[in-house]
Amino acid sequence: MVTEIEAKVIEAKKASITLASVSTDIKNRALEEMANALDINRQAILSANIRDLEVAEKAQRKGELTQAMVDRLKVSDSKINGMIAGIRDVIKLEDPVGRTMSSLELDNGLELYQVSCPIGLIGVIFESRPDVVPQIMALCLKSGNSTIFKGGREALNSNRAIFDILVEAVEKVEGIPKGAFQLMETREEVMDILAMDTYIDLLIPRGSNAFVKFIQDNTKISVLGHADGICHVYVDEDADLAKAYTICFDSKVQYAAVCNAMETLLVHERIAEKFLPKMAQMLDSAAVELRCDKGSFAILEHIDFIKNLVRAVEEDWSTEYNDLILSIKLVSSIEEAIEHINTYGSHHTDAIVTENQKKKKKFANFVDSSSVMINASTRFADGFRYGKGAEVGISTNKIHARGPVGMEGLMIYKYVLIGNGDKVADYVGPEAKKFTHRELNKELSDVITEKETMQRQCS
């Protein structure tokens, strides 16, 4: 017997076949309806979010939720503006479906095309942040993917309000299949989703380290994401210190409860005594707790106005705080900084501040992270800021997609071979025909002239 959850997943999987062939114009109309609906229904979203925040803040006082999760849960008018802007940015993006990625002549009249197409049914499991729903729904819609959403119980009212508003807007556009987007709401449904590898093609978890790791360890479905966001800024001996103060402060303080915030500050020992006192004062004034190694502690311990100062322990180098806490370590060279980052980091986002061109190149070449920043804040590692419209998540994987992932992470490809009665037998044996394997500068749409037909082949 098919359960209610399975029925929703099967409906979304079936809708994904139709959604893959929807034209660009229809998808863009649906996206504009989504943006308008969020604007019109602001008060309903904010009211639902207030109900969630009241419960979350009580849970935070009891120690059941972290302050970082409460911060991520908050929705404001400015956040709704960001949701709307993100959707409209997706409208401007080129439709990724049906692009000819490569074309090759195997022999005269026998042509092979590599064509982009949607992955299919995407499962999104996330904690706290209700703005995940419009971000990922917009990207999935534009890329022709159906989506199953499962949010945390702390955002139950916010998620439901936003989801219902968006689905009503999308499904009133003729040509968009019903049931392509589904929302799961109970804790038990998480384990059900993780077991549905027959239907769900990709999982995208968004949340804490423990949460993402749990998802990765308990499913056969491919997972796109990262378990940790242990990001570093290395201030080199050749740094412009004015830039360093700005970059380090922004990387830590601008928004501490996110995966691309700096967690460890590495400082070259030759400039530490000049750089650290002012930097520490700036951070301390923003209520940042400083966890210092022996060298940095010795520099800062006698400065009276620095109150939030403690000794670092080994565990600090591999900890993602997601809070106003920062570990600080002195290094003797760029090589030591790179080794520390590659040993303790999570391959997410790491930055160098230096005016030395050779060191910029060395850092970019040898730091094994999905985003490497040169004289810029780690907080730039974001799909919206990278011009992707929004992001489905940040991946530290080395296959399929890496870094802030936009629609390219929701696409795959298939091969389309066009012949004229060709058979393999002609290419076998002593009289075998030879393959030409000649590259073509040719679009599949030139061969199959109707774009709708081309898109149906990708579904």
Side-chain angles (χ1 to χ4, degrees):
M1 181 178 176
V2 176
T3 65
E4 181 181 352
I5 299 167
E6 287 175 312
K8 286 184 176 182
V9 172
I10 291 169
E11 183 182 18
K13 182 67 173 182
K14 184 177 179 181
S16 71
I17 305 301
T18 303
L19 188 60
S21 67
V22 172
S23 71
T24 304
D25 286 345
I26 290 174
K27 290 188 287 190
N28 284 343
R29 284 206 301 275
L31 287 165
E32 185 59 38
E33 290 292 341
M34 286 170 57
N36 291 337
L38 288 178
D39 195 18
I40 293 168
N41 292 282
R42 285 172 183 268
Q43 193 53 54
I45 295 168
L46 294 172
S47 297
N49 187 245
I50 288 170
R51 295 199 298 274
D52 286 331
L53 282 172
E54 289 172 352
V55 176
E57 286 166 355
K58 289 178 183 177
Q60 192 270 332
R61 288 193 292 271
K62 294 178 183 177
E64 297 170 356
L65 277 183
T66 65
Q67 185 60 50
M69 289 187 72
V70 175
D71 290 343
R72 290 173 180 173
L73 174 60
K74 293 177 183 175
V75 176
S76 61
D77 258 319
S78 63
K79 274 199 174 181
I80 294 174
N81 290 339
M83 296 177 199
I84 294 168
I87 293 171
R88 290 193 168 131
D89 281 339
V90 172
I91 294 173
K92 299 172 189 175
L93 297 175
E94 181 183 355
D95 191 333
V97 180
R99 289 191 303 106
T100 299
M101 302 168 68
S102 66
S103 53
L104 185 72
E105 179 193 82
L106 303 189
D107 197 0
N108 185 35
L110 185 62
E111 297 177 349
L112 180 67
Y113 296 85
Q114 184 185 22
V115 184
S116 63
C117 57
I119 288 176
L121 177 55
I122 312 295
V124 182
I125 306 175
F126 60 102
E127 293 178 315
S128 290
R129 290 180 54 183
D131 54 332
V132 166
V133 178
Q135 281 181 5
I136 294 189
M137 188 182 290
L139 290 169
C140 285
L141 174 58
K142 187 69 177 265
S143 60
N145 290 283
S146 289
T147 317
I148 298 284
F149 292 94
K150 173 63 184 78
R153 68 185 187 280
E154 70 281 350
L156 181 68
N157 294 296
S158 306
N159 291 338
R160 169 54 67 183
I162 293 170
F163 180 82
D164 285 347
I165 289 164
L166 295 178
V167 168
E168 182 180 356
V170 164
E171 291 189 350
K172 74 180 183 182
V173 176
E174 187 176 354
I176 300 293
K178 294 190 182 303
F181 302 101
Q182 302 281 352
L183 180 66
M184 306 292 185
E185 294 184 307
T186 69
R187 181 181 297 181
E188 292 74 23
E189 288 171 330
V190 172
M191 296 308 299
D192 291 325
I193 290 172
L194 297 184
M196 293 185 180
D197 52 290
T198 302
Y199 305 108
I200 299 174
D201 299 295
L202 179 69
L203 282 177
I204 302 172
R206 300 272 296 260
S208 67
N209 304 350
F211 174 75
V212 176
K213 190 70 166 59
F214 176 83
I215 300 300
Q216 292 171 331
D217 291 344
N218 287 277
T219 186
K220 294 179 181 178
I221 304 169
S222 296
V223 177
L224 187 153
H226 68 281
D228 298 291
I230 304 171
C231 303
H232 303 74
V233 176
Y234 165 54
V235 180
D236 182 56
E237 62 180 319
D238 296 319
D240 178 325
L241 296 190
K243 292 179 185 177
Y245 295 131
T246 300
I247 290 165
C248 294
F249 191 83
D250 187 78
S251 294
K252 181 73 253 183
V253 176
Q254 195 273 330
Y255 190 11
V258 285
C259 60
N260 58 12
M262 172 178 62
E263 304 292 23
T264 298
L265 171 61
L266 302 174
V267 182
H268 196 289
E269 59 189 16
R270 289 182 183 169
I271 52 98
E273 290 192 7
K274 183 176 182 181
F275 170 72
L276 272 179
K278 180 178 177 180
M279 187 75 257
Q281 182 181 13
M282 292 171 63
L283 293 166
D284 186 77
S285 67
V288 178
E289 178 184 304
L290 306 177
R291 299 186 179 182
C292 300
D293 74 339
K294 182 178 179 180
S296 58
F297 191 88
I299 293 172
L300 299 176
E301 66 177 325
H302 302 298
I303 302 176
D304 292 337
F305 55 75
I306 298 176
K307 306 299 183 185
N308 301 303
L309 187 69
V310 297
R311 288 286 186 97
V313 297
E314 178 66 21
E315 183 182 350
D316 284 307
W317 312 128
S318 53
T319 298
E320 180 182 16
Y321 304 113
N322 283 139
D323 202 349
L324 291 173
I325 303 171
L326 179 69
S327 55
I328 303 176
K329 180 179 176 64
L330 303 190
V331 295
S332 60
S333 65
I334 186 174
E335 289 81 12
E336 185 182 348
I338 291 170
E339 182 179 1
H340 181 97
I341 291 168
N342 288 338
T343 300
Y344 294 98
S346 58
H347 312 291
H348 190 299
T349 302
D350 298 288
I352 184 173
V353 186
T354 187
E355 298 301 303
N356 186 301
Q357 297 302 318
K358 289 183 179 179
K359 290 180 180 178
K360 291 177 185 179
K361 183 177 181 181
K362 186 167 193 172
F363 194 86
N365 287 344
F366 287 94
V367 169
D368 184 24
S369 298
S370 62
S371 285
V372 175
M373 310 307 199
I374 298 172
N375 292 334
S377 169
T378 59
R379 290 281 291 115
F380 280 106
D382 173 83
F384 175 73
R385 297 183 185 108
Y386 277 14
K388 297 175 181 291
E391 69 183 28
V392 297
I394 292 183
S395 172
T396 53
N397 298 341
K398 291 191 177 181
I399 55 173
H400 178 53
R402 198 177 192 209
V405 179
M407 282 193 295
E408 76 282 358
L410 301 174
M411 302 302 297
I412 193 62
Y413 57 82
K414 71 186 330 180
Y415 289 100
V416 177
L417 181 64
I418 300 178
N420 187 28
D422 301 89
K423 60 184 188 295
V424 169
D426 291 340
Y427 296 86
V428 178
E431 302 298 324
K433 295 172 65 176
K434 301 293 184 182
F435 290 108
T436 60
H437 288 155
R438 181 173 64 90
E439 289 187 14
L440 300 172
N441 185 18
K442 203 171 182 181
E443 298 288 325
L444 180 60
S445 56
D446 293 335
V447 181
I448 303 175
T449 56
E450 293 294 325
K451 185 177 181 184
E452 290 78 12
T453 303
M454 176 185 69
Q455 289 179 323
R456 281 197 294 272
Q457 288 184 328
C458 293
S459 64

